[in-house]
Amino acid sequence: MTTIKDKLDIFRKLIYEQEEEKYKKSLEDLEERIRNLVESKKLEIKKKQEELAEREALLKEAEKNRIISEKRQELNSKLLLKREEILEDLIASLKEKAIIFTLTDEYGDLLVRNISEAFLKVDDIDLVITITEEDKEKFEASLLKAAKKCKKNITIDSLPKTKMIGGFILTDKDRTYNIDNSYKTIIDENRYEIGKRLYKALEEAGDFQWKI
C-alpha cells in the first residue's frame, strides 16, 4: 500500500528529475552559446589580425615605394647634373676647336667667301660688318675688295674674340636687322640640338641609364 510518504517521495523525485533535466538543458545551451561566442571571437580576432597584417603590408609597400621614388629622383638629379656637365664640356670643346680653326688659312678664305655670299642676299647698299679685332686686322682689305665687287659700301666694326670667336655679323647702316653668323652665336643657338644629339649618343652607348 502506497503511503503519503511514498507519494511525496515519488513527487519529489519527479520534480527533481524535471528540474535536473531543465538544468542540464540550460547548461548545455549556455555551453553552446559560450562555444559559439568563443568561435565568433576567434574569427573576429583572426579577421582583425589579417586586416592588421594587410594594413602593415600596405604600409611597408608604400614606404618601399616612397624610398624607391626618392632614390630614383636622387639618381635622376645626379644624371641630369652629369649630363649637363658633359654638355658644358662639349660646348667648351666646340668653342675651343672653333678658336683653333680661326687661326688657319682655310678660315680666312671661308670668312671672306661667306661674307661675299651674304652681300648678295641683301638689297641694302650700305652695310656694317662686325668681325673680331684679329680678323679685321687680317682681312679688312679682302673684305673691302669683296664689297666693291658686290657693289656694297661697308663699314667694318670689330669685337673682342671672346664675344664672337670668329665668323661675322651683318647689318644695315641703320641696324634695322641683324644677321648673326658669329661662331659663338651659332654654337650657343644650337645648344639644345647639340645636347639632344649628345644624350641620344650616350643612351645608345648604354651610359646614363640608371635603374632601380
Side-chain angles (χ1 to χ4, degrees):
M1 179 177 177
T2 304
T3 65
I4 294 176
K5 183 178 180 301
D6 292 334
K7 291 181 178 178
L8 288 174
D9 288 340
I10 294 170
F11 177 74
R12 287 193 191 99
K13 184 177 180 182
L14 288 173
I15 294 298
Y16 174 78
E17 288 178 350
Q18 288 177 356
E19 289 300 319
E20 185 178 26
E21 285 298 321
K22 282 183 184 181
Y23 173 76
K24 286 182 179 179
K25 183 67 170 64
S26 297
L27 185 60
E28 288 173 357
D29 290 344
L30 179 60
E31 288 175 347
E32 180 66 22
R33 286 199 298 272
I34 291 173
R35 281 195 299 270
N36 291 338
L37 182 60
V38 169
E39 287 300 318
S40 176
K41 287 296 180 183
K42 283 182 179 179
L43 291 174
E44 184 180 340
I45 291 171
K46 183 179 179 182
K47 183 179 179 182
K48 287 184 177 180
Q49 287 175 335
E50 289 173 351
E51 289 175 351
L52 184 62
E54 184 179 354
R55 191 180 303 115
E56 186 177 350
L58 289 173
L59 289 173
K60 285 182 179 179
E61 184 67 20
E63 179 65 11
K64 174 185 172 184
N65 291 336
R66 183 188 67 78
I67 293 172
I68 290 174
S69 178
E70 288 180 355
K71 189 65 175 176
R72 183 178 288 117
Q73 187 174 0
E74 179 185 344
L75 291 177
N76 285 339
S77 296
K78 289 181 179 179
L79 171 61
L80 290 174
L81 286 174
K82 190 63 178 177
R83 282 181 165 184
E84 189 64 23
E85 181 183 326
I86 293 173
L87 178 58
E88 289 298 334
D89 288 343
L90 178 58
I91 295 293
S93 176
L94 289 173
K95 289 180 178 179
E96 184 63 29
K97 289 181 184 300
I99 291 172
I100 293 172
F101 177 65
T102 63
L103 304 176
T104 65
D105 293 336
E106 182 184 356
Y107 167 72
D109 295 338
L110 181 65
L111 177 67
V112 174
R113 184 167 66 250
N114 286 345
I115 292 176
S116 297
E117 290 174 355
F119 287 154
L120 300 176
K121 293 178 181 179
V122 296
D123 296 328
D124 299 278
I125 301 298
D126 298 316
L127 299 170
V128 178
I129 293 289
T130 303
I131 54 180
T132 66
E133 294 166 346
E134 292 88 341
D135 289 348
K136 182 177 180 180
E137 184 178 339
K138 291 179 183 179
F139 309 117
E140 184 173 14
S142 298
L143 291 174
L144 289 170
K145 183 179 178 180
K148 185 177 181 181
K149 185 177 180 180
C150 295
K151 298 180 181 180
K152 303 291 184 181
N153 300 319
I154 65 168
T155 300
I156 300 178
D157 288 343
S158 64
L159 287 172
K161 205 160 194 172
T162 53
K163 298 284 187 180
M164 294 186 65
I165 297 177
F168 66 94
I169 300 171
L170 174 66
T171 186
D172 63 310
K173 181 179 64 175
D174 298 324
R175 299 183 186 276
T176 60
Y177 61 82
N178 190 37
I179 301 173
D180 192 342
N181 281 328
S182 66
Y183 289 176
K184 185 176 185 301
T185 297
I186 291 171
I187 293 172
D188 288 340
E189 287 184 348
N190 284 277
R191 179 188 180 89
Y192 173 77
E193 187 62 30
I194 293 169
K196 189 167 72 170
R197 293 188 181 188
L198 170 65
Y199 301 153
K200 183 179 179 181
L202 289 173
E203 289 173 359
E204 288 177 351
D207 295 333
F208 302 109
Q209 294 183 345
W210 301 345
K211 295 180 180 179
I212 297 175

